[in-house]
Amino acid sequence: MKHVLSCEQFTRDEIMGLFKLTDHIRENEKAYSGAIADKVVATLFYEPSTRTRLSFEAAILRLGGKNISTENAKEMSSAIKGESLTDTIRVVDGYADAIIMRHFEVDSAVRAASASRVPVLNAGAGSGEHPTQALLDAYTIYKNKGKVDGISCAILGDLLYGRTIHSLIKLLSLFDNITVYGLSVETLPLPEEYVKFIESRGVKYVPVKCLTELPKDLDVIYQTRTQTERFLEQGIVAEEIVLSKASMAHFGPGTMVLHPLPRNNEISPDFDDDPRAKYFEQSLNGMYVRMGLLYEVLVNNK
Ligand code: ASP
């Protein structure tokens, strides 16, 4: 049995295997429509979600599985009565064959996995990691560029609290010859532990101060929302680096723009019909990558 907790756990071969399986499922969806017919999967969400929960639930249903769900577990589960996370997991693991969980604490997925007899899939843990998002982000890069090796990727916005960024750069570090440019709002830089981790795996990390310092032939811009829910109480003011038709004029036709969504103002809707805007394609890819992942975990037991 395998939990999916952090992008640190993957090998490059596992990622490429998942991408191939995802493509195969996508091209032969009917053949997979009963793949997990005997399985019940729980989606246990203690924080808001649109794409992650619904794409996982769609993935479960499209593979013929059954889903039990609480979309607001912080208020609507026994957490409000003081039940510990590990007690909840000890009960839910009897009802379900896998648990997909989003929680507000950084170590929640690890704690849940330590209590669970079934696989736990981390669907976002506080400001820590969001590994299944990174899988679909890297898959979207792979589909558009035909490879992940050798890409240059600028991470933008809230690098401090953005869990999607933390997972993505760890995942990219499995590939060769990767350059990551960091452009954060001043108060929200990438924590040193992540810089050290990716550099130890051979990634070149280059902090920059503005969009025009980025190379015109950059491969990927990964824009993110400022995670106001994590820092308002600390008095940090939310700022934004805005991508728009005008600011994107700096980049060439090969610079694709990704965003985990939801967005606020950091990508102007006037850019949405630009062929370089890939964020809606990215969220659709999420459903297929999650079908692949569920198949690996529940059928291949990988
Ligand atoms: N949906 C992503 C997440 O849950 C990104 C975000 O909320 O800004 O981390």
Side-chain angles (χ1 to χ4, degrees):
M1 174 190 71
K2 178 162 151 187
H3 302 292
V4 176
L5 304 178
S6 158
C7 282
E8 283 184 41
Q9 75 185 65
F10 300 125
T11 65
R12 184 195 161 107
D13 284 353
E14 282 171 336
I15 303 303
M16 294 317 295
L18 176 67
F19 291 176
K20 294 224 163 73
L21 174 62
T22 298
D23 283 342
H24 196 260
I25 292 174
R26 207 166 182 167
E27 285 151 22
N28 305 277
E29 218 186 307
K30 271 217 166 105
Y32 287 87
S33 63
I36 59 167
D38 58 339
K39 307 287 185 195
V40 175
V41 181
T43 41
L44 187 58
F45 276 60
Y46 292 81
E47 279 196 334
S49 171
T50 301
R51 277 148 291 271
T52 304
R53 189 173 62 83
L54 291 181
S55 67
F56 256 124
E57 292 180 358
I60 295 162
L61 297 174
R62 280 171 184 259
L63 291 173
K66 295 164 193 76
N67 175 226
I68 52 173
S69 180
T70 95
E71 59 174 315
N72 185 5
K74 201 171 178 185
E75 270 97 45
M76 298 304 285
S77 77
S78 288
I80 197 89
K81 302 180 189 170
E83 183 169 60
S84 71
L85 176 61
T86 46
D87 277 6
T88 302
I89 295 295
R90 273 194 195 115
V91 172
V92 177
D93 75 358
Y95 304 156
D97 299 291
I99 300 171
I100 296 160
M101 189 187 80
R102 168 170 291 184
H103 195 278
F104 44 92
E105 286 165 358
V106 171
D107 65 350
S108 53
V110 174
R111 283 194 291 123
S114 71
S116 179
R117 292 169 298 173
V118 300
V120 170
L121 279 66
N122 175 4
S127 59
E129 278 210 53
H130 191 350
T132 70
Q133 174 74 44
L135 292 172
L136 73 95
D137 297 339
Y139 175 79
T140 306
I141 294 171
Y142 172 70
K143 293 303 278 179
N144 279 277
K145 298 282 174 193
K147 61 178 181 130
V148 184
D149 285 324
I151 64 140
S152 53
C153 174
I155 48 173
L156 260 57
D158 183 349
L159 310 188
L160 181 57
Y161 294 111
R163 58 191 174 196
T164 65
I165 287 201
H166 302 161
S167 284
L168 178 62
I169 59 176
K170 283 183 179 176
L171 198 63
L172 291 180
S173 74
L174 289 172
F175 294 86
D176 297 332
N177 193 20
I178 300 289
T179 306
V180 172
Y181 295 90
L183 173 52
S184 66
V185 299
E186 212 163 310
T187 42
L188 304 166
L190 187 64
E192 201 49 36
E193 64 187 277
Y194 291 101
V195 178
K196 285 210 175 102
F197 181 87
I198 60 171
E199 283 182 342
S200 75
R201 284 188 168 181
V203 172
K204 191 168 162 211
Y205 183 66
V206 187
V208 298
K209 290 217 156 49
C210 60
L211 279 176
T212 50
E213 265 184 59
L214 292 168
K216 289 182 188 300
D217 62 349
L218 187 70
D219 292 311
V220 183
I221 296 181
Y222 192 88
Q223 175 66 299
T224 60
R225 174 181 71 87
T226 38
Q227 311 282 296
T228 43
E229 69 272 36
R230 311 257 178 243
F231 61 69
L232 275 184
E233 69 277 9
Q234 296 169 40
I236 299 174
V237 180
E239 307 157 64
E240 273 153 4
I241 298 152
V242 177
L243 298 181
S244 62
K245 224 177 205 153
S247 63
M248 282 301 296
H250 171 73
F251 300 97
T255 305
M256 59 190 279
V257 175
L258 298 179
H259 191 305
L261 303 177
R263 69 173 147 184
N264 293 145
N265 304 310
E266 65 277 0
I267 300 181
S268 161
D270 78 358
F271 183 68
D272 290 355
D273 55 10
D274 189 295
R276 296 170 297 175
K278 302 290 183 191
Y279 25 94
F280 292 111
E281 173 185 323
Q282 179 188 359
S283 54
L284 176 62
N285 286 342
M287 182 182 74
Y288 291 109
V289 170
R290 288 173 172 131
M291 287 173 81
L293 193 61
L294 287 168
Y295 193 90
E296 288 283 37
V297 170
L298 290 169
V299 182
N300 291 338
N301 294 318
K302 273 211 221 149

